[in-house]
Amino acid sequence: MRIVITGGAGFIGSALALALQEKHEILLIDTMQSSTLLDNGNLKYLGHFKNLLNFQGELFVGNINKTQTLKQIKAFKPDIIFHKAAISDTTFYNQNAILRTNLNSFKNIIQLCQKLKAKLIYASSASVYGDAPSPQQVGKDENPKNPYAFSKLMMDKLAQKYASELHIVGLRYFNVYGKGEFFKGKTSSMILQLAHQILAGKNPILFEGSDTIYRDFVYIKDVVSANIAALTAKSGIYNVGSFQARSFQDIVDILQAKLKTNLTCKYIPNPFAKAYQFHTQAFCDENFAYRSQFGLEEGIDDYLPEIQRLFAKEVNA
Ligand SMILES: NC(=O)c1ccc[n+]([C@@H]2O[C@H](COP(=O)([O-])OP(=O)(O)OC[C@H]3O[C@@H](n4cnc5c(N)ncnc54)[C@H](O)[C@@H]3O)[C@@H](O)[C@H]2O)c1
């Protein structure tokens, strides 16, 4: 198969590329990290060359908002497009900028897939549910709380219009963690951030009430499996989680048990409380052949050697 992965130097895109490269011809599209900042001071583009050190395929550095980039995708003649490129920062509130990148470019990619007769698997997000009751289910109580979440819900609505004429699958990722997320910096998972605080001997910092803030944390290897399952799924939108809700306090407790530390947590007020998700848990759709293999303990176990390598080679380098 010939495969294009947009956002291919980012966390999820690069993991997918590395998993698929042995059997397929791959072209990655990414802007790559630069000094460009979002209004909130975070980096705009998070793709990093170190995510691709073991990648054997082709990389085109381009912006999915640009016709030139779409031409490159078309010329490659892909059978499948995994569309992961996005402004993925949930704390960036510039509606115009986020919707132009996440939504407008998506329509162009859909139309390109129609012309190419290519399958399209794209990244949606559990953020679309907002404070909908758990377990969150596709088509039920979606209530986005920020422009990022709204952009993903609009992508899903657009995708549904094309579901009868195209193989188009949207994957609503819950909180993803694992190898390849380090270069997301402040927007990397709390699993990585808390582990690095603990390894540095610092008091782990949590929001007040973290023992009652629950999320569905899903490991990157499960996310790769879900993308592969999407290739043979019926067109539609599916949740990608671990199907378990665990608290942020659980993360610290698991990490401290594994790292044999007993640091006191420091609790701070939650600055995002107004637009925060306090309980997420994916509903498992029987019609989608993906099943999670990693609970939080298993995922952290598998990830820990990489967390420790990053701490030695990147944090303390
Ligand atoms: N990581 C999570 O927990 C999570 C949860 C829900 C949804 N998602 C979605 O999954 C996808 C991948 O997320 P990720 O965690 O790998 O994020 P990421 O930021 O690491 O990856 C996105 C990549 O897209 C690139 N990019 C951004 N704008 C671009 C543009 N205009 N043109 C070309 N490339 C561009 C970035 O450089 C980056 O490499 C995103 O669509 C994100 O919204 C992620």
Side-chain angles (χ1 to χ4, degrees):
M1 293 283 188
R2 298 179 67 76
I3 297 177
V4 164
I5 306 177
T6 71
F11 170 30
I12 296 172
S14 63
L16 196 57
L18 296 174
L20 296 176
Q21 66 176 352
E22 247 180 56
K23 294 195 179 141
H24 306 280
E25 205 65 33
I26 301 182
L27 168 68
L28 303 185
I29 304 288
D30 206 295
T31 39
M32 305 302 286
Q33 208 180 92
S34 67
S35 53
T36 311
L37 298 179
L38 298 171
D39 301 355
N40 62 7
N42 291 343
L43 284 172
K44 183 168 186 185
Y45 303 117
L46 300 169
H48 201 285
F49 79 92
K50 287 194 181 173
N51 287 338
L52 299 179
L53 290 175
N54 295 318
F55 176 61
Q56 310 297 337
E58 204 182 316
L59 167 68
F60 180 80
V61 180
N63 192 315
I64 45 159
N65 295 323
K66 298 268 163 70
T67 318
Q68 192 209 3
T69 308
L70 296 174
K71 277 188 186 156
Q72 289 292 329
I73 299 176
K74 193 173 174 194
F76 187 77
K77 295 193 174 70
D79 304 294
I80 303 162
I81 297 182
F82 289 102
H83 177 50
K84 311 294 172 196
I87 295 180
S88 63
D89 190 333
T90 55
T91 64
F92 174 57
Y93 301 127
N94 182 326
Q95 303 186 26
N96 177 280
I98 215 159
L99 283 158
R100 272 190 296 124
T101 294
N102 293 6
L103 181 64
N104 289 6
S105 62
F106 183 49
K107 185 151 188 179
N108 292 333
I109 285 178
I110 290 177
Q111 287 168 343
L112 191 55
C113 285
Q114 280 186 305
K115 278 191 203 131
L116 293 163
K117 298 194 184 347
K119 292 185 178 186
L120 175 55
I121 316 299
Y122 71 93
S124 180
S125 164
S127 63
V128 303
Y129 292 116
D131 51 12
S134 287
Q136 286 87 16
Q137 198 171 347
V138 175
K140 243 182 143 183
D141 303 320
E142 285 100 340
N143 185 17
K145 296 281 185 191
N146 55 49
Y148 166 80
F150 177 72
S151 76
K152 293 291 181 180
L153 187 60
M154 292 306 289
M155 286 172 70
D156 288 347
K157 286 181 179 170
L158 189 63
Q160 278 164 327
K161 291 193 180 159
Y162 290 87
S164 59
E165 45 190 290
L166 193 66
H167 182 105
I168 181 164
V169 175
L171 298 175
R172 284 188 181 168
Y173 304 133
F174 281 64
N175 281 63
V176 189
Y177 64 100
K179 189 174 178 185
E181 63 168 315
F182 177 75
F183 297 102
K184 293 183 71 173
K186 283 186 210 157
T187 63
S188 64
S189 77
M190 285 314 296
I191 289 142
L192 180 63
Q193 295 191 45
L194 289 163
H196 281 174
Q197 288 167 23
I198 293 168
L199 286 170
K202 295 181 183 157
N203 300 98
I205 300 174
L206 289 170
F207 292 149
E208 287 164 353
S210 276
D211 54 335
T212 58
I213 306 176
Y214 290 88
R215 291 287 172 88
D216 186 325
F217 298 102
V218 57
Y219 192 47
I220 187 67
K221 289 186 180 174
D222 276 342
V223 168
V224 168
S225 305
N227 275 274
I228 293 167
L231 293 173
T232 48
K234 193 167 166 275
S235 285
I237 297 158
Y238 303 101
N239 284 336
V240 178
S242 65
F243 311 109
Q244 294 168 25
R246 301 298 298 272
S247 75
F248 285 96
Q249 187 69 55
D250 285 340
I251 297 174
V252 173
D253 294 347
I254 295 168
L255 286 168
Q256 296 232 66
K258 290 192 191 296
L259 295 170
K260 301 192 179 14
T261 55
N262 192 18
L263 297 157
T264 310
C265 292
K266 184 177 167 198
Y267 297 95
I268 60 165
N270 181 352
F272 309 110
K274 276 193 192 151
Y276 210 63
Q277 290 182 290
F278 286 92
H279 198 296
T280 67
Q281 182 179 6
F283 174 85
C284 182
D285 182 343
E286 294 296 317
N287 297 315
F288 184 38
Y290 154 76
R291 295 291 172 271
S292 168
Q293 303 296 320
F294 293 87
L296 189 57
E297 280 80 359
E298 293 79 28
I300 289 178
D301 240 0
D302 196 67
Y303 189 17
L304 214 46
E306 171 65 3
I307 290 176
Q308 286 167 316
R309 186 195 69 80
L310 287 165
F311 188 70
K313 301 278 181 210
E314 297 290 345
V315 180
N316 282 333

